[in-house]
Amino acid sequence: MEYTVSQLAKLSGVSGRTLRYYDQIGLLKPAKVNESGYRIYSEEEVDLLQQILFFRELNISLREIKDIIHQPDFNQIDALRRHYDHLLKKRSRLDQIIATVERTIASKERDVPMKDNEKFSGFKKQLIDENEQKYGKEIREKYGDATVDASHAKMMNMSQEDYRNWTKLGEEIMVLLPKARQTNDPASEIALELARKHKDWLRYTWPNYSKEAHANLADMYVADERFAAYYNRDVAGGAEFLRDAIKHFLEVK
């Protein structure tokens, strides 16, 4: 089968404007352009469009998708298996949120008892799953399964107040980081405050806090490009500065 832009748009639900944009940026080129100037798509492009939509469902940027699907060794079957696995995990996270909503409705409408920590169980489980997917392999290799599982259990059992305080601390750290970075001094008072809050933030989820583990995590923030990208996202050199501030804090405290 061959499709024009309008036919492929109708088939896929993707607008013709979007298909033309995908062609413009080199993400999805038509198989050919006919004598009348119409873009013509073959089954190969249809399959690639499906892959693009799967990747978009996983919130992957168009630039990243282009790099992935145009690799010489790109394998559609392997990609589909990975999509399937990611979508199952996404469904599991949504199921957790839905279950929490259902229990909350029951508690409001029928006075069904609901503990405070249960009100946030879906959100906490979602956060755990996301972190496990992103960093689980490296964290488990570094700290061991028992430690990571104990940390997850501690998070799931957080009270409403602890969960709120933990979330607030995380937000305060990201607000303090650019301010501390401006001093260019990891020994400054604001840098010490930043590191202190980071320690307090960790202790909400770590079963056992230690200076050594804290220092190792700080090193990972720089060594692992995903951690580094997170802390450098809005602050140039943010990951390195946070590491240095933590290391200084651990030496003086």
Side-chain angles (χ1 to χ4, degrees):
M1 290 288 294
E2 292 185 336
Y3 302 90
T4 62
V5 167
S6 60
Q7 290 170 335
L8 184 55
K10 184 177 180 180
L11 176 70
S12 66
V14 175
S15 71
R17 181 178 180 181
T18 296
L19 290 173
R20 285 187 284 272
Y21 177 67
Y22 286 173
D23 179 13
Q24 179 184 338
I25 64 175
L27 177 62
L28 181 69
K29 306 290 290 184
K32 62 184 178 182
V33 177
N34 67 16
E35 294 179 355
S36 301
Y38 288 103
R39 295 174 175 85
I40 303 298
Y41 297 87
S42 69
E43 184 176 353
E44 182 178 351
E45 287 74 49
V46 172
D47 289 345
L48 275 178
L49 178 59
Q50 184 193 46
Q51 290 285 351
I52 291 167
L53 295 182
F54 283 141
F55 281 118
R56 292 297 288 157
E57 182 65 26
L58 298 171
N59 297 318
I60 298 175
S61 71
L62 294 179
R63 178 178 295 181
E64 291 176 295
I65 296 172
K66 181 181 175 181
D67 290 341
I68 294 169
I69 67 175
H70 292 304
Q71 288 289 330
D73 59 350
F74 176 68
N75 186 299
Q76 289 200 25
I77 295 176
D78 290 342
L80 284 169
R81 289 195 177 105
R82 289 193 295 271
H83 292 319
Y84 181 73
D85 183 54
H86 287 313
L87 289 170
L88 285 178
K89 291 176 180 176
K90 187 173 183 178
R91 183 175 70 180
S92 176
R93 292 194 293 269
L94 287 174
D95 286 343
Q96 289 283 339
I97 299 295
I98 291 170
T100 301
V101 172
E102 289 174 342
R103 289 198 300 272
T104 303
I105 292 172
S107 72
K108 299 295 184 184
E109 290 185 343
R110 302 193 298 276
D111 292 325
V112 176
M114 186 178 189
K115 296 179 181 178
D116 281 345
N117 65 330
E118 292 177 334
K119 296 175 183 177
F120 299 92
S121 60
F123 302 105
K124 289 183 285 189
K125 184 63 166 62
Q126 181 179 15
L127 184 59
I128 287 170
D129 288 345
E130 289 174 352
N131 286 338
E132 185 73 32
Q133 183 176 336
K134 289 181 181 178
Y135 314 116
K137 183 176 183 293
E138 293 78 5
I139 294 295
R140 289 181 178 277
E141 287 178 353
K142 194 171 189 67
Y143 297 104
D145 289 339
T147 298
V148 175
D149 291 342
S151 176
H152 290 171
K154 188 172 182 180
M155 178 181 285
M156 289 301 297
N157 289 322
M158 272 188 193
S159 67
Q160 180 179 358
E161 181 179 2
D162 283 348
Y163 182 74
R164 182 170 57 246
N165 291 339
W166 177 73
T167 303
K168 183 181 178 184
L169 270 173
E171 294 169 352
E172 290 174 352
I173 288 168
M174 297 309 292
V175 170
L176 269 180
L177 180 56
K179 296 178 181 178
R181 179 69 180 88
Q182 287 178 352
T183 70
N184 202 31
D185 180 9
S188 65
E189 284 300 318
I190 191 170
L192 287 173
E193 182 184 0
L194 172 68
R196 186 181 302 109
K197 285 183 179 293
H198 192 267
K199 174 185 176 181
D200 293 341
W201 179 72
L202 290 176
R203 294 184 72 171
Y204 273 101
T205 57
W206 280 15
N208 297 293
Y209 173 86
S210 73
K211 287 186 175 183
E212 181 183 3
H214 196 175
N216 287 339
L217 181 62
D219 286 332
M220 187 179 290
Y221 284 169
V222 177
D224 190 300
E225 62 183 17
R226 292 163 300 174
F227 279 116
Y230 177 76
Y231 287 108
N232 292 333
R233 182 182 56 195
D234 300 318
V235 185
E240 292 84 352
F241 185 86
L242 178 57
R243 175 200 60 193
D244 294 344
I246 291 171
K247 291 291 188 70
H248 179 76
F249 172 79
L250 295 175
E251 289 174 1
V252 300
K253 296 296 180 181

